[in-house]
Amino acid sequence: MSYQQQPQQTQPYGAQTGEPPLWAPYYGAPIGAAVKRFFKKYTAFNGRASRSEYWWWALVAAVIGFVLQILTTVLGAAGATVTADGTAVPGPGALVGGILLIIFGLATIIPSIALIVRRLHDGNFSGWLALIGLVPFLGGLALLVLMLLPSNPAGQRFDVPTA
């Protein structure tokens, strides 16, 4: 049983020459378009997301998280102390980095879950399978495998075309 890499849409994109409409997945999306679509579809749990849409955002989120972790470490190094029992206590700047990490995490948790659901839809899986990520270790691994799978043309059933 073989699947096409890029499923055909049930309705044409019209006279557009650029990226597809927001209701449709953007196969081969460049990094800028993937991040833009991530924020435009902030709470959209319906529809589909291509692998490129998902993995570009995953890369951007990982880089931002890494930079914020480094910032927290650097800010925490200034004024860091060691207690009498040898425990390192970060400086007050670590609080600023920690707050920035929390803000970023809270700002992107819902749209990240929505993107996971849309990516599952593109593989013709139920969005409820995202809950498998709650299973310790193996759930995250299973979700990773599902995110790597190619598009399935039958996933078009999740599309909700709009004008």
Side-chain angles (χ1 to χ4, degrees), residues 10-163:
T10 55
Q11 296 182 0
Y13 294 147
Q16 277 187 306
T17 57
E19 61 184 65
L22 278 177
W23 62 263
Y26 189 173
Y27 297 102
I31 189 168
V35 171
K36 185 174 79 172
R37 288 171 73 91
F38 173 80
F39 286 109
K40 281 187 174 182
K41 296 169 87 170
Y42 201 79
T43 58
F45 287 84
N46 58 346
R48 297 180 292 156
S50 67
R51 279 193 287 192
S52 57
E53 286 179 80
Y54 177 81
W55 287 110
W56 278 127
W57 172 252
L59 176 67
V60 167
V63 168
I64 291 171
F66 183 69
V67 168
L68 288 175
Q69 285 285 358
I70 289 175
L71 181 68
T72 302
T73 303
V74 169
L75 291 175
T81 59
V82 178
T83 61
D85 63 352
T87 306
V89 177
L95 181 63
V96 173
I99 289 172
L100 290 174
L101 273 167
I102 290 170
I103 290 171
F104 176 72
L106 289 175
T108 59
I109 187 78
I110 298 297
S112 294
I113 294 169
L115 182 62
I116 289 169
V117 168
R118 291 193 311 270
R119 179 70 200 115
L120 286 168
H121 287 170
D122 194 46
N124 195 30
F125 298 106
S126 169
W128 288 103
L129 272 176
L131 294 175
I132 201 168
L134 297 175
V135 175
F137 183 68
L138 293 179
L141 187 61
L143 205 50
L144 173 68
V145 169
L146 290 172
M147 296 299 109
L148 289 170
L149 291 175
S151 300
N152 184 336
Q156 289 180 354
R157 67 189 176 109
F158 294 104
D159 285 345
V160 182
T162 56

